[in-house]
């Protein structure tokens, strides 16, 4: 790592900024701020409006779109309220710009100084493409809420969220390749289970996006049953016509999958932990598994508390942030079992 220390710090700083951006994105969603900026400009949106006239112009533009017409126009929604929701969406985009600079400027420097070996260089070009695509997904998501309905597509929201997690995980993986350059013996049975676990965590994140996009966390605020002693609530069948729609578009169905998948994720991590006891592990592998057990139990607990309290802002954001720590720990553990 000594030869690549600056590159590793650069990649880890990117991981940190992606984490911050997703946390702020969670706040943006939970405060209903995501549709406050009705256009996107690479340069002119860098700073918020700087005068009352500019604020009034932005507010008048916002009034032309469905969220104001169908929801906020029927409440005592004033310019001060608009400034509040504008701030969170602006801050979310601002961090995205900072992230772009943090990636591109050091990348050009490392390229000029020939500090990036060819395998790392290829991965960095992939990261560059992933970052650009993530920016596109952000606007693609917002655009879905500026047409007819005052809410973004939960499919697009989940895609935007999940791809941020994937970008974070891949950035961390590239950094780990540099931190641990030496190959170790691959424990194939454990690697297979770790890969399945990684996939299941991503699937759970996808459904977390569905729950957020459909506001499905505000119903069935009971545990361990959805309500009235029902593990599988009657409303799941009533919401949609097909099983695919029920489990991808129905609020009750999406929540059912997300809460049930939580048990599956906990179970497979516990299984991986005890399965590993039959093998001789390195200290890094042991550390990864111990951290996985601790974080998945904490995340499960946070999920239950978030649900039964009907998603208060601080719990919703903390639950989303903890998903990052879970994916980061899973990425580290999978890397240690793969390389």
């Amino acid at each position: 790592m000594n030869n690549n220390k600056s590159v590793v710090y650069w990649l880890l700083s990117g991981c940190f900024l992606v984490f911050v951006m997703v946390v702020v994105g969670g706040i943006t969603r939970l405060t209903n701020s995501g549709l406050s900026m009705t256009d996107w400009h690479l340069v002119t949106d860098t700073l918020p409006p700087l005068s009352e006239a500019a604020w009034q112009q932005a507010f008048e533009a916002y009034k032309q779109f469905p969220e104001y017409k169908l929801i906020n126009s029927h409440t005592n929604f004033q310019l001060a309220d608009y400034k509040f929701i504008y701030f969170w969406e602006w801050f979310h985009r601002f961090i995205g710009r900072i992230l772009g600079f943090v990636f591109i400027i050091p990348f050009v420097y490392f390229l000029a100084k020939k500090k990036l070996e060819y395998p790392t260089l290829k991965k960095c070009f992939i990261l560059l493409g992933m970052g650009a695509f993530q920016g596109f997904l952000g606007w693609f998501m917002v655009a879905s809420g500026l047409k007819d309905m005052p809410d973004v597509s939960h499919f697009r929201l989940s895609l935007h969220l999940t791809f941020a997690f994937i970008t974070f995980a891949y950035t961390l993986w590239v950094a780990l390749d540099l931190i641990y350059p030496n190959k170790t013996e691959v424990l194939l049975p454990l690697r297979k289970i770790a890969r399945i676990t990684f996939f299941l965590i991503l699937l759970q994140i996808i459904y977390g996006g569905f729950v957020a996009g459909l506001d499905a966390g505000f119903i069935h605020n009971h545990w361990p049953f959805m309500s009235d002693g029902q593990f599988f609530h009657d409303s799941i069948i009533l919401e949609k016509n097909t099983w695919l729609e029920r489990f991808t578009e129905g609020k009750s169905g999406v929540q059912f999958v997300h809460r049930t998948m939580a048990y599956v994720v906990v179970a497979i991590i516990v299984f991986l932990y005890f399965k590993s006891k039959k093998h001789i592990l390195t200290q890094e592998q042991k550390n990864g598994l111990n951290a996985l057990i601790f974080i998945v139990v904490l995340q499960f607990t946070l999920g239950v508390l978030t649900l039964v309290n009907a998603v208060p802002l601080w719990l919703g954001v903390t639950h989303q942030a903890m998903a990052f720590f879970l994916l980061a720990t899973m990425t580290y553990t999978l890397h240690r079992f793969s390389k």
Side-chain angles (χ1 to χ4, degrees), residues 106-338:
F107 176 66
V108 173
Y109 171 80
F110 291 138
L111 201 60
K113 293 294 184 178
K114 298 181 179 179
K115 285 182 171 289
L116 300 174
E117 297 179 358
Y118 184 66
T120 305
L121 181 61
K122 287 196 300 181
K123 296 168 188 173
C124 288
F125 275 118
I126 293 172
L127 283 172
L128 184 62
M130 293 176 76
F133 186 60
Q134 178 68 359
F136 162 76
L137 287 177
W139 178 245
F140 182 64
M141 175 191 68
V142 170
S144 66
L146 298 176
K147 296 178 182 178
D148 302 316
M149 298 299 296
D151 210 351
V152 300
S153 162
H154 70 287
F155 291 114
R156 297 188 188 187
L157 183 147
S158 185
L159 180 60
H160 183 51
L161 175 69
T162 305
F163 198 75
F165 274 87
I166 292 172
T167 302
F168 167 86
Y170 186 68
T171 306
L172 179 58
W173 189 277
V174 176
L176 290 171
D177 280 345
L178 298 176
I179 295 171
Y180 301 104
N182 298 322
K183 302 288 185 181
T184 58
E185 181 183 355
V186 176
L187 300 173
L188 294 177
L190 297 183
R191 183 179 70 176
K192 182 178 180 180
I193 300 170
R195 284 176 172 176
I196 294 171
T197 307
F198 184 86
F199 170 78
L200 289 174
I201 290 174
L202 280 182
L203 185 60
Q204 181 70 329
I205 290 168
I206 290 170
Y207 265 88
F210 286 172
V211 169
L214 290 171
D215 293 327
F218 296 102
I219 60 174
H220 307 308
N221 302 114
H222 305 270
W223 187 84
F225 301 110
M226 295 185 75
S227 64
D228 302 324
Q230 293 183 324
F231 180 76
F232 185 90
H233 200 269
D234 293 338
S235 59
I236 296 173
I237 297 176
L238 300 175
E239 278 183 324
K240 299 292 178 180
N241 295 322
T242 69
W243 286 107
L244 179 61
E245 290 175 335
R246 287 164 188 157
F247 289 139
T248 58
E249 298 180 38
K251 290 186 179 184
S252 296
V254 163
Q255 192 200 102
F256 172 79
V257 173
H258 191 56
R259 64 195 292 160
T260 305
M261 277 289 298
Y263 294 107
V264 177
V265 170
V266 172
I268 195 168
I269 288 177
V270 171
F271 176 69
L272 175 63
Y273 179 82
F274 284 104
K275 184 78 171 178
S276 69
K277 297 296 184 181
K278 299 179 181 179
H279 300 268
I280 299 175
L281 304 179
T282 65
Q283 190 58 50
E284 291 89 354
Q285 291 167 338
K286 292 178 181 178
N287 292 341
L289 289 167
N290 290 335
L292 262 182
I293 287 290
F294 174 76
I295 292 176
V296 78
V297 171
L298 182 58
Q299 175 67 340
F300 184 90
T301 304
L302 281 171
V304 172
L305 291 174
T306 303
L307 178 65
V308 299
N309 288 284
V311 199
L313 177 62
W314 75 272
L315 265 176
V317 172
T318 304
H319 182 51
Q320 183 167 294
M322 190 56 60
F324 250 100
F325 287 103
L326 180 61
L327 185 67
T329 309
M330 188 66 244
T331 302
Y332 173 83
T333 305
L334 177 58
H335 190 276
R336 293 295 74 223
F337 282 128
S338 301

